[in-house]
């Protein structure tokens, strides 16, 4: 009996779980420090319009270059920020940087929309939403908020109210990672979104996967029927780029057009951009 009790205790204190937790706590502390010292960066990934045949917009993607770990995946630290409440500070910093950079782009002769990822967790925080709107009011160009579909569906009543306020105040709304959540057509009908972003998991095998191609084509038609434009994420190959164009997709985004890059590189990229190229398709690496 004593031996069994000891075993149970060991099972409860699984060292792997403990070290993972300890690591997350350490990272949480360091994230707070990074936010306090404004050490996070914002990188931009271009979005290409088929109709206008040019880069019409960029998506802001937050980056954390950690002193010991290198670049930490935003998937990981954004989740930490959401769970601790630091997402407000993070989002505020990203918004300010984007608005300043949009102004600098304009001075350099580039009128670009900027898409910013807005955590679904924030939608229920009315005071924060109002704060974010006040910051966005200072933008020299169009700001679009990318919100994942699951976030809206989690609490549709609150989510829709917030989104309606954003739209009334002149922001655009994009439904991010479309197809990965439990999509409800009823909610899709109610969200006054301007853009549907098809998740890259459907785009990556679009040339070989009959079913992916069918789903993407249907999503494009559905979005157009609802008055939204469509962005495909994860466009890596010329074949995918061309196929999406033939399906009536409006905007392409992915390593084949351009990877996320720091602001300085973006200006060079915009000056040099000459179209789709498969040489741009190198994968970045994150270390957690
Ligand atoms: P997301 O908004 O769906 O962003 C697209 C992700 O796909 C980005 O990853 C981008 O680097 C990556 N990507 C773009 N094109 C390609 C491609 O052709 N191939 C492949 N394999 N990947 C591609 P990233 O930068 O690691 O960001 C991951 C997620 O973190 C984002 O997904 C977004 O949900 C979140 N995130 C990033 N920045 C912010 C932010 O400022 N605020 C919030 N709340 N979330 C953010
Ligand atoms: Mg996004
Ligand atoms: Mg996405
Ligand atoms: Mg995503």
């Amino acid at each position: 009996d004593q031996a069994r009790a000891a075993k149970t205790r060991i099972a409860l204190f699984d060292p792997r779980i403990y070290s993972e937790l300890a690591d997350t706590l350490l990272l949480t502390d360091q994230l707070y420090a990074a936010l306090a010292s404004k050490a996070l960066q914002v990188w931009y990934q271009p979005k290409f319009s088929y109709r206008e045949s040019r880069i019409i917009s960029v998506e802001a993607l937050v980056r954390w270059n950690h002193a010991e770990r290198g670049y930490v995946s935003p998937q990981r630290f954004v989740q930490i920020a959401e769970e601790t409440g630091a997402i407000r500070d993070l989002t505020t910093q990203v918004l300010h940087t984007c608005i300043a950079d949009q102004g600098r782009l304009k001075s350099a002769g580039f009128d670009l929309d900027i898409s910013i990822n807005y955590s679904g967790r924030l939608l229920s925080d009315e005071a924060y939403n109002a704060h974010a709107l006040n910051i966005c009011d200072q933008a020299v160009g169009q700001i679009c908020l990318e919100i994942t579909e699951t976030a809206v569906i989690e609490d549709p009543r609150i989510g829709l109210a917030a989104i309606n306020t954003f739209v009334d105040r002149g922001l655009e709304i994009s439904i991010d990672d479309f197809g990965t959540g439990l999509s409800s057509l009823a909610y899709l009908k109610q969200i006054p979104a301007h853009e549907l972003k098809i998740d890259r998991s459907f785009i990556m095998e679009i040339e070989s996967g009959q079913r992916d191609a069918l789903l993407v084509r249907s999503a494009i038609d559905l979005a157009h029927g609802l008055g939204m434009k469509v962005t495909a994420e994860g466009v890596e190959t010329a074949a995918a780029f061309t196929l999406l164009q033939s399906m009536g997709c409006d905007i392409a985004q992915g390593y084949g057009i351009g990877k996320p890059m720091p602001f300085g590189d973006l200006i060079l990229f915009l000056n040099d951009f000459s179209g789709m190229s498969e040489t741009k398709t190198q994968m970045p690496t994150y270390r957690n």
Side-chain angles (χ1 to χ4, degrees):
D1 265 13
Q2 236 171 10
R4 191 177 298 150
K7 252 186 205 157
T8 314
R9 218 171 294 133
I10 287 164
L12 284 174
F13 292 99
D14 183 332
R16 261 175 312 140
I17 292 175
Y18 176 76
S19 77
E20 250 175 61
L21 181 64
D23 190 59
T24 299
L25 289 174
L26 177 65
L27 209 57
T28 304
D29 248 23
Q30 294 171 336
L31 178 62
Y32 271 84
L35 284 165
S37 64
K38 306 256 189 309
L40 297 190
Q41 308 161 9
V42 178
W43 286 22
Y44 297 98
Q45 186 177 33
K47 296 172 74 172
F48 175 85
S49 159
Y50 284 109
R51 191 171 55 82
E52 296 185 38
S53 196
R54 66 176 183 99
I55 305 298
I56 50 154
S57 169
V58 288
E59 177 177 3
L61 293 158
V62 67
R63 292 291 180 264
W64 181 15
N65 193 358
H66 188 286
E68 292 118 39
R69 302 174 194 230
Y71 285 96
V72 182
S73 161
Q75 221 101 274
R76 176 141 193 226
F77 69 86
V78 165
Q79 193 194 339
I80 292 176
E82 287 177 338
E83 284 165 3
T84 57
I87 190 68
R88 292 177 188 78
D89 194 7
L90 183 151
T91 306
T92 297
Q93 291 191 23
V94 170
L95 285 169
H96 280 302
T97 303
C98 285
I99 282 162
D101 285 345
Q102 194 176 43
R104 293 158 74 197
L105 281 166
K106 194 171 177 159
S107 307
F110 300 105
D111 252 307
L112 297 184
D113 296 358
I114 297 193
S115 290
I116 296 163
N117 292 287
Y118 198 79
S119 167
R121 294 279 184 98
L122 289 172
L123 286 180
S124 55
D125 185 338
E126 272 183 64
Y128 187 77
N129 291 335
H131 177 64
L133 267 169
N134 286 335
I135 301 174
C136 290
D137 276 344
Q138 297 156 25
V140 297
Q142 184 65 52
I143 299 291
C144 173
L145 300 182
E146 295 193 0
I147 301 173
T148 59
E149 162 194 41
T150 28
V152 184
I153 293 170
E154 251 170 45
D155 191 339
R157 201 178 45 82
I158 290 171
L160 286 172
I163 287 172
N164 276 307
T165 312
F166 290 154
V167 172
D168 288 345
R169 291 273 294 270
L171 296 180
E172 290 195 351
I173 300 295
S174 171
I175 300 174
D176 205 351
D177 299 347
F178 180 73
T180 55
L182 293 171
S183 315
S184 159
L185 294 181
Y187 292 134
L188 199 57
K189 189 183 85 174
Q190 292 176 59
I191 304 171
H194 301 79
E195 178 187 78
L196 196 72
K197 272 188 105 164
I198 303 176
D199 191 72
R200 72 165 185 264
S201 56
F202 299 97
I203 307 298
M204 303 286 268
E205 280 156 38
I206 195 175
E207 311 123 71
S208 50
Q210 287 284 323
R211 294 169 73 89
D212 283 352
L214 180 71
L215 285 167
V216 170
R217 195 184 295 272
S218 307
I220 291 171
D221 292 344
L222 173 70
H224 285 166
L226 292 167
M228 303 178 202
K229 58 190 172 188
V230 178
T231 291
E233 11 168 89
V235 179
E236 294 196 351
T237 63
F241 180 83
T242 310
L243 182 56
L244 284 159
Q245 180 168 34
S246 76
M247 290 178 172
C249 181
D250 303 285
I251 296 162
Q253 181 182 6
Y255 295 168
I257 292 133
K259 290 196 282 183
M261 58 192 102
F263 182 81
D265 290 356
L266 178 65
I267 297 277
L268 299 175
F269 174 90
L270 292 167
N271 279 316
D272 287 357
F273 181 72
S274 56
M276 176 77 204
S277 140
E278 289 186 50
T279 60
K280 295 178 191 130
T281 63
Q282 221 183 16
M283 300 287 278
T285 49
Y286 289 127
R287 272 171 293 139
N288 279 316

